Amino acid sequence: MKALERFLQNNSARYRDCSDPGSLPGVKKKSFILPFRGGEIWFEHLDGMYQYTDLATEKLKRDSRVFLLPSKPSHMGIVLDETLVTEALVKEIASLLCDERKRFMRVCFIGTDRKIQRMFRRALYGKSSFSVSFINDFEQAKEWLVSE
């Protein structure tokens, strides 16, 4: 509950009592493949969902049917800006990233603070074989994801 209270203190009041959370811009935003510098990156947009982490989890599960396909890019950017990241959401993301059906090469989390970064490091420790980075700038994240 502390995380929700801290999140609400740091964010605009207009998102606290949303009558229709399904209409939030973050819910409508599509995840996509971005061709960049000769490679492809899958960007999973879970940003702008504020305290509605159940919507973020639903969107992640829906999108996982696509990004876990072997034909999809193995470089992934996960955008979490302006979304309350809970332990349950971290576990769900980590579980999908470590799925046996898909081998990721690089994963970048965009829009996370140090506390969330620690949560992801703990969840992925010993389970992942891909490189992980935490970058708050979208352009720098793209550069890191395609650099080798």
Side-chain angles (χ1 to χ4, degrees):
M1 195 60 173
K2 287 182 183 179
L4 177 60
E5 291 170 8
R6 189 171 46 250
F7 178 79
L8 292 177
Q9 285 176 350
N10 295 331
N11 290 282
S12 172
R14 66 187 170 141
Y15 295 107
R16 291 182 188 171
D17 296 317
C18 184
S19 60
D20 182 19
S23 67
L24 288 170
V27 176
K28 295 180 180 180
K29 193 181 285 186
K30 302 281 186 208
S31 298
F32 60 90
I33 295 173
L34 176 71
F36 185 73
R37 296 207 177 185
E40 289 184 329
I41 305 167
W42 176 271
F43 277 102
E44 181 63 30
H45 280 280
L46 301 176
D47 56 325
M49 295 195 198
Y50 303 94
Q51 71 266 29
Y52 303 102
T53 54
D54 55 333
L55 293 176
T57 304
E58 288 173 25
K59 184 176 186 304
L60 178 69
K61 287 179 181 178
R62 231 181 9 256
D63 290 348
S64 72
R65 287 180 253 163
V66 176
F67 71 71
L68 287 177
L69 293 172
S71 60
K72 297 304 176 197
S74 61
H75 295 77
M76 182 178 215
I78 301 175
V79 187
L80 294 163
D81 203 27
E82 296 182 339
T83 295
L84 175 65
V85 179
T86 62
E87 193 70 43
L89 182 58
V90 168
K91 286 180 182 176
E92 187 66 35
I93 292 170
S95 169
L96 289 169
L97 290 175
C98 297
D99 191 290
E100 294 175 0
R101 295 174 285 173
K102 175 76 175 196
R103 182 166 182 207
F104 290 97
M105 301 301 289
R106 288 181 160 220
V107 175
C108 184
F109 295 95
I110 303 159
T112 57
D113 60 18
R114 290 195 187 277
K115 181 182 179 219
I116 295 168
Q117 292 171 13
R118 280 192 302 272
M119 289 167 58
F120 276 111
R121 283 191 182 105
R122 258 187 274 126
L124 293 170
Y125 183 77
K127 298 174 190 160
S128 64
S129 60
F130 49 83
S131 299
V132 176
S133 185
F134 300 92
I135 301 173
N136 287 325
D137 181 69
F138 199 80
E139 292 300 316
Q140 289 177 355
K142 289 190 312 189
E143 292 287 341
W144 181 82
L145 283 163
V146 297
S147 67
E148 302 244 12

